[in-house]
């Protein structure tokens, strides 16, 4: 009963966050590009209990949709129709832009937002290619602006706790990582933007960026090669990976108690997991499991630990010794809330408790592209949009 109460309370507070006790007289003013479904939980709700942030405007290609979104979420300004995104960028009352547009539009509108002098909180994956990501971050540096790829799970205490367990040496030398984010058929429809190649569609782009990111984070290192990669293809979408499984080689874990050169990570991403036995529906598969010479740790539901999660640890005092099992939970704040806190701190010139930098985002895209190359599908298309001329490009 206590766990059920805790679950209900967590969900309630996510959608009904308390107002800040002492709101700032001049908070950072956010504008949202596109009336995306993720925007309320990723930004609008966290902003409501932050003393130094406010959502000031939203832009959508359709004025009616912009108006409806603004009314529903109490946003003062709604830009719609032709040129709506640029109108928001030109608004002098906007300090920061949140960009949750389709993947293939990330590069164009982030570059234009930076050109307009706006800081940017950018949804993942950062762009369609590593080169585009590199250019964006160089441009942000050139302009003296903050750009952050919104891997919110990195800011959640459950993720940080798993990293602590690994770095403590409790599991011995890390030898294997397995990470998965996959959903059964029915979640991603044929008309979903994730199925559109020109918009940067594909399971490795959309879901796979999470298992790749957390594997790199927990390994404390970047891959050295793609050992294997295979994509599931549907005849209706020949350029889209409905699912991808890839195995990467990593160097030895930094900080482990002994040298080891056999660390591998296997990643799973899938839009349409097939039913078991041909008819039994599957549960979504969202977990990361790390194995070492003295034990394992598994974080269940790492992309959404605020809903529920469990950290299961099995370890021994020495290799081959009896395993001791325990389960931990570390809810704390919503990942998006702590991400916003870190982002605002960075903008205000303070040092965030946690941060991931430009190179982290560039490297993630490099290995997404490397996996696509190995599957034979190749990278997603490079943006052909006209973007501001800079020394970075």
């Amino acid at each position: 009963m206590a766990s059920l109460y805790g679950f209900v309370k967590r969900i309630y507070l996510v959608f009904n966050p308390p107002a800040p006790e002492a709101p700032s007289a001049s908070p950072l003013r956010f504008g949202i590009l596109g009336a995306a479904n993720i925007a309320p939980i990723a930004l609008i709700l966290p902003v409501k209990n932050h003393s130094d942030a406010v959502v000031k405007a939203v832009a959508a290609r359709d004025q009616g949709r912009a108006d409806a979104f603004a009314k529903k979420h109490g946003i003062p300004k709604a830009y719609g129709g032709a040129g709506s995104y640029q109108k928001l960028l030109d608004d002098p009352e906007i300090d920061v832009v949140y960009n949750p547009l389709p993947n293939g539009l990330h590069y164009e509108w982030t570059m234009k937002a930076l050109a307009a002098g706006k800081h940017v909180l950018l949804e993942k994956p950062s762009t369609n290619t590593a080169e585009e990501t590199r250019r964006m971050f160089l441009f942000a540096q050139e302009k003296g602006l903050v750009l952050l790829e919104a891997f919110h799970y990195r800011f959640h205490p459950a993720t940080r706790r798993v990293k602590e367990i690994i770095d403590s040496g409790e599991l011995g030398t890390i030898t294997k990582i397995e990470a998965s984010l996959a959903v059964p058929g029915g979640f991603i429809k044929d008309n979903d933007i994730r199925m559109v190649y020109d918009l940067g569609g594909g399971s490795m782009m959309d879901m796979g960026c999470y298992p790749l990111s957390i594997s790199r984070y927990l390994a404390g290192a970047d891959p050295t090669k793609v050992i294997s990669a295979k994509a599931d293809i549907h005849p209706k979408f020949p350029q889209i990976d409905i699912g991808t499984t890839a195995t990467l080689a990593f160097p030895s874990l930094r900080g482990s108690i002994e040298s080891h050169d056999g660390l591998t990570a296997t990643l799973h991403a899938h839009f349409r997991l097939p039913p078991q036995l041909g008819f039994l529906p599957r549960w979504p598969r969202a977990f990361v499991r790390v194995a070492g010479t003295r034990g394992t740790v598994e974080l269940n539901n790492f992309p959404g630990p605020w809903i529920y999660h469990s950290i299961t640890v099995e370890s021994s005092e020495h290799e081959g010794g009896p395993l001791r099992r325990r389960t931990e939970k570390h809810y704390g704040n919503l990942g998006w809330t702590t991400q916003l806190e870190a982002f605002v701190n960075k903008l205000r010139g303070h040092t965030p408790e946690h941060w991931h930098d430009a190179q982290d985002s560039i490297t993630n895209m490099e290995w997404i592209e490397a996996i696509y190359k190995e599957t034979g599908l190749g990278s997603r298309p490079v943006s052909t949009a006209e973007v501001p001329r800079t020394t970075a490009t």
Side-chain angles (χ1 to χ4, degrees):
M1 182 63 71
S3 61
L4 176 60
Y5 171 77
F7 172 78
V8 172
K9 182 179 179 181
R10 284 196 305 276
I11 301 303
Y12 176 81
L13 289 176
V14 166
F15 293 99
N16 299 273
E21 294 182 2
S24 170
S26 55
L28 292 165
R29 299 163 297 182
F30 282 75
I32 301 173
L33 292 178
N37 292 333
I38 195 175
I41 196 167
L43 181 69
I44 295 171
L45 292 172
V47 160
K48 286 186 176 180
N49 72 347
H50 198 291
S51 63
D52 199 20
V54 63
V55 178
K56 194 76 171 179
V58 62
R61 296 187 184 277
D62 177 79
Q63 184 66 61
R65 188 178 183 197
D67 289 339
F69 190 90
K71 182 178 180 180
K72 180 178 180 179
H73 298 290
I75 301 172
K77 296 182 180 182
Y79 295 105
S84 58
Y85 295 166
Q86 190 60 51
K87 290 175 184 176
L88 183 146
L89 299 185
D90 292 338
D91 187 338
E93 293 189 335
I94 299 300
D95 306 305
V96 190
V97 166
Y98 171 56
N99 183 353
L101 294 171
N103 303 335
L105 300 179
H106 284 181
Y107 177 64
E108 174 185 359
W109 289 102
T110 297
M111 291 294 282
K112 289 178 178 178
L114 294 170
K118 316 298 185 185
H119 305 283
V120 181
L121 179 60
L122 174 65
E123 274 303 330
K124 81 300 290 179
S126 53
T127 61
N128 278 4
T129 71
E131 178 59 21
E132 289 177 340
T133 303
R134 184 190 67 82
R135 291 180 179 183
M136 285 193 317
F137 279 96
L138 282 174
F139 191 29
Q141 182 181 30
E142 179 182 308
K143 299 282 288 184
L145 297 167
V146 175
L147 169 60
L148 176 67
E149 185 179 12
F151 271 116
H152 59 89
Y153 83 87
R154 287 275 192 97
F155 296 87
H156 196 278
T159 308
R160 309 299 299 283
R161 175 56 184 153
V162 172
K163 179 66 170 169
E164 287 176 358
I165 292 169
I166 294 169
D167 290 349
S168 73
E170 179 181 351
L171 306 181
T173 301
I174 302 307
T175 59
K176 185 177 180 180
I177 299 173
E178 183 179 7
S180 174
L181 180 53
V183 296
F187 280 75
I188 310 296
K189 308 295 185 182
D190 284 2
N191 62 352
D192 194 286
I193 59 171
R194 298 170 180 86
M195 307 299 289
V196 181
Y197 173 75
D198 289 341
L199 292 178
S203 67
M204 189 62 218
M205 287 285 287
D206 183 73
M207 292 184 174
C209 68
Y210 279 91
L212 174 60
S213 174
I214 198 168
S215 295
R216 293 176 46 245
Y217 174 61
L218 296 182
D222 293 322
T224 56
K225 69 177 180 179
V226 179
I227 297 173
S228 65
K230 181 180 179 181
D232 292 342
I233 308 297
H234 191 286
K236 291 177 65 175
F237 308 98
Q239 295 174 298
I240 296 293
D241 52 314
I242 303 297
T244 289
T245 297
T247 299
L248 309 178
F250 280 76
S252 58
L253 178 66
R254 292 198 300 251
S256 61
I257 61 173
E258 58 186 273
S259 177
H260 188 84
D261 296 321
L263 175 58
T264 63
T266 299
L267 318 175
H268 307 280
H270 215 291
F271 286 158
R272 297 174 178 179
L273 287 173
Q276 302 177 80
L277 303 176
F279 67 95
L280 293 175
R282 291 179 180 266
W283 286 100
R285 300 181 73 235
F287 68 89
V288 60
R289 184 176 187 271
V290 180
T293 54
R294 286 178 21 214
T296 63
V297 60
E298 180 171 328
L299 172 56
N300 187 27
N301 195 27
F302 78 90
W306 59 277
I307 304 173
Y308 74 91
H309 72 268
S310 61
I311 301 171
T312 304
V313 184
E314 291 187 331
S315 65
S316 62
E317 292 185 358
H318 55 85
E319 291 187 25
L323 293 174
R324 299 162 300 177
R325 181 185 175 95
R326 72 178 187 274
T327 299
E328 300 182 11
K329 295 182 180 180
H330 298 270
Y331 281 105
N333 288 326
L334 182 69
W336 285 289
T337 299
T338 49
Q339 176 180 262
L340 177 65
E341 183 71 26
F343 189 64
V344 170
N345 280 340
K346 193 77 169 179
L347 296 185
R348 293 305 195 190
H350 308 307
T351 301
E353 183 179 352
H354 177 71
W355 193 256
H356 48 271
D357 60 14
Q359 191 56 54
D360 189 272
S361 295
I362 295 166
T363 301
N364 219 54
M365 278 310 310
E366 286 175 344
W367 288 100
I368 288 174
E369 287 194 275
I371 290 168
Y372 271 121
K373 180 179 179 181
E374 184 68 20
T375 66
L377 290 176
S379 302
R380 308 297 86 178
V382 174
S383 174
T384 59
E386 292 188 10
V387 296
R389 300 285 298 179
T390 73
T391 56
T393 56

